[in-house]
Amino acid sequence: MSAQAAFRFADTAPRYTSYPTAPHFHEGVNDATVRGWMAAVKDGEAVSLYIHVPFCDRLCWFCACHTQHTLRYEPVAAYLETLYREIALVAASLPDSVQVGAVHLGGGSPTLLTPQDFRRLMDTLRATFRFTANASVSVEIDPTDMDEARLDAIAGAGVTRASLGVQDFRMEVQKAINREQSFEDTKAVVEGLRARGVSAINLDLVYGLPHQSVASIAETVALSLSLGPSRLALFGYAHVPWFKKHQKLIDEAALPDREARMAQSARAAALIREAGYEAIGLDHFALPGDSLALAARRGALRRNFQGYTDDGCETLIGLGPSSISGFREGYAQNAPAMGIYRRAVEKGALPVVRGFELSGEDRVRAWVIERLMCDFGFSADEASGRFGADAEAVVAEARQMCDRFPDVLSRQGDSFTVQPQARAHVRSVAAGFDSYIGRGTARHSIAV
């Protein structure tokens, strides 16, 4: 990027898994609002479910997820009973003909559940909702949680894809983030899943961690590639100690600077592409035959609260504390605090505490930002076809951005495209279309 463009586009920016982003949610969206949105879901529509398991048996210092550390299983078991009641409340609020097209279990650590509870949770979902014939079921896995019984439970519950957190295989880095996990442990889980028929494996890597270097990230990438995953994600560590206090346990002096982060990212991405993976959006890679790569090629790549996805469902319903739902009308977030969440469910209320109802302009900007994040560009004609007059002002802004920063955004005919040299900064480019950024006190992580 030119010096002028780098000055214009902020060094920090949201990750844009929604627009507007979560810091702009407000208390005007509540139980009654969301029940109305659920009732309006189209007859026969397939929806996605996100199940949040907000517990870990160790606290990884780099993590920015909503979770709590526990060495006792009693809080987990108690939470599951509340979750089953929330599942029933959601099912009663949706039209009877609604189907489930995708389920994603995240955390925290879903594999903290006992094998019996994992199977019971999936059995409850299948008994409560009608699943489509090709419904996908994905789960996030901490390899250090796993044993043979858990592997059996995951496969027996119909999981179709597993995402394993790797971060970095070098011990010095692992100790600095309180996440010790050997390559051998990770390999054993991958092989155990494949032996049981779960062949779609994702590995999540992180750059920008303390004590990482270009050499160490290259070593981690090489080991990860040796496992033959279907997809890899390459996330930049988000150091947000003002938001996640436990990140203060990380030695900031050991964190790589901006130039080092960019070098780590570039080297890792190059190695992954050289191994035959296709680059997907900002930070994902997939084998050419993987469904994510196929979706990207046909312009069907999406971005939601779990990141890049090929999930085509228009409605995403989040279950559990802090989880966020996305409807055509807007977003709704459950109470993050377990006590507030539990009391609401026990009273028979959806545990929603805040959200955002979308305006016509919001929908245009949300679509433009999603297309930038997924395709590095968008069509003005498609925007106008989808949103009519609401798209005019946003398209005009894109033209102005092209005129002011041609080395960042270019225009050919009706199409706007992020220039190749600016694509690592696409979050900052997207921020140029964010009419809410700068309002309030929200702070964001580094944009590269």
Side-chain angles (χ1 to χ4, degrees):
M1 298 178 77
S2 69
Q4 182 189 34
F7 176 79
R8 165 59 180 85
F9 293 108
D11 290 335
T12 63
R15 292 189 180 273
Y16 289 115
T17 54
S18 72
Y19 177 82
T21 55
H24 301 290
F25 293 2
H26 56 78
E27 295 178 358
V29 172
N30 54 30
D31 168 80
T33 310
V34 176
R35 286 184 189 271
W37 292 352
M38 286 185 179
V41 172
K42 297 177 182 178
D43 286 339
E45 180 179 346
V47 304
S48 295
L49 302 178
Y50 171 74
I51 315 297
H52 188 57
V53 181
F55 297 96
C56 296
D57 54 8
R58 62 175 169 176
L59 184 62
C60 301
W61 297 342
F62 74 95
C63 182
C65 298
H66 176 77
T67 186
Q68 62 187 75
H69 177 240
T70 181
L71 296 177
R72 299 185 305 114
Y73 196 72
E74 289 82 359
V76 181
Y79 161 64
L80 288 173
E81 296 306 318
T82 307
L83 177 64
Y84 295 137
R85 296 182 68 171
E86 186 192 6
I87 290 170
L89 288 171
V90 167
S93 301
L94 289 166
D96 292 339
S97 59
V98 166
Q99 304 178 80
V100 169
V103 176
H104 183 86
L105 294 98
S109 180
T111 48
L112 182 67
L113 301 184
T114 65
Q116 296 80 4
D117 278 341
F118 191 92
R119 285 193 294 266
R120 181 188 172 196
L121 174 56
M122 286 305 305
D123 287 346
T124 299
L125 292 173
R126 293 183 186 279
T128 305
F129 300 99
R130 183 157 52 98
F131 279 43
T132 63
N134 61 345
S136 63
V137 180
S138 58
V139 60
E140 297 173 9
I141 289 178
D142 177 352
T144 64
D145 282 340
M146 299 302 290
D147 53 28
E148 295 297 312
R150 283 181 168 84
L151 288 167
D152 289 342
I154 284 173
V159 168
T160 58
R161 182 175 294 276
S163 293
L164 280 67
V166 168
Q167 286 60 253
D168 190 287
F169 281 124
R170 185 165 289 191
M171 184 57 67
E172 180 185 23
V173 177
Q174 293 181 358
K175 287 184 175 180
I177 60 174
N178 198 39
R179 172 78 180 212
E180 295 186 32
Q181 171 185 323
S182 72
F183 171 72
E184 289 72 23
D185 285 343
T186 307
K187 180 180 180 181
V189 172
V190 170
E191 292 176 346
L193 289 166
R194 286 184 174 140
R196 291 164 173 81
V198 184
S199 58
I201 306 292
N202 303 354
L203 299 183
D204 295 338
L205 314 182
V206 179
Y207 67 89
L209 292 170
H211 303 297
Q212 270 185 325
S213 64
V214 171
S216 73
I217 195 73
E219 178 184 327
T220 288
V221 168
L223 288 169
S224 299
L225 290 171
S226 74
L227 299 177
S230 308
R231 302 176 188 173
L232 294 106
L234 180 63
F235 300 118
Y237 167 56
H239 191 59
V240 288
W242 60 89
F243 176 59
K244 290 297 179 180
K245 303 301 183 185
H246 58 259
Q247 289 189 352
K248 293 181 179 180
L249 296 168
I250 288 178
D251 179 8
E252 292 188 348
L255 291 172
D257 61 19
R258 186 180 311 278
E259 290 72 23
R261 285 173 62 99
M262 292 181 68
Q264 291 173 17
S265 174
R267 180 60 176 151
L271 290 171
I272 296 169
R273 288 196 300 269
E274 288 169 10
Y277 290 77
E278 295 184 6
I280 308 294
L282 177 64
D283 51 22
H284 278 53
F285 302 84
L287 290 173
D290 185 83
S291 59
L292 198 68
L294 298 175
R297 270 185 247 128
R298 68 175 186 269
L301 187 66
R302 301 292 305 278
R303 189 162 174 83
N304 63 20
F305 303 107
Q306 284 77 62
Y308 289 109
T309 179
D310 58 343
D311 178 9
C313 297
E314 292 294 322
T315 299
L316 168 65
I317 298 174
L319 295 150
S322 83
S323 61
I324 301 176
S325 300
F327 299 89
R328 292 180 177 84
E329 296 85 353
Y331 306 109
Q333 184 171 22
N334 282 356
M338 183 66 75
I340 297 173
Y341 164 81
R342 179 176 291 117
R343 286 192 290 274
V345 172
E346 288 174 350
K347 292 178 181 178
L350 297 174
V352 176
V353 292
R354 64 189 194 127
F356 201 101
E357 186 165 4
L358 297 171
S359 68
E361 179 185 340
D362 292 333
R363 290 186 176 87
V364 180
R365 294 185 183 277
W367 180 83
V368 166
I369 287 173
E370 183 179 40
R371 295 319 339 133
L372 288 169
M373 294 293 296
C374 291
D375 304 331
F376 299 108
F378 70 95
S379 160
D381 285 350
E382 186 175 357
S384 298
R386 285 174 174 267
F387 305 105
D390 285 334
E392 293 176 2
V394 182
V395 170
E397 289 176 20
R399 294 193 185 103
Q400 292 171 5
M401 191 179 291
C402 290
D403 292 340
R404 293 182 63 196
F405 308 107
D407 51 350
V408 173
L409 194 68
S410 65
R411 176 169 50 135
Q412 186 170 8
D414 82 307
S415 296
F416 298 94
T417 304
V418 179
Q419 295 279 40
Q421 68 271 19
R423 290 184 179 180
H425 302 262
V426 70
R427 287 167 56 192
S428 295
V429 178
F433 293 92
D434 186 340
S435 66
Y436 296 97
I437 201 164
R439 302 187 195 181
T441 59
R443 296 170 66 185
H444 305 290
S445 62
I446 192 168
V448 177

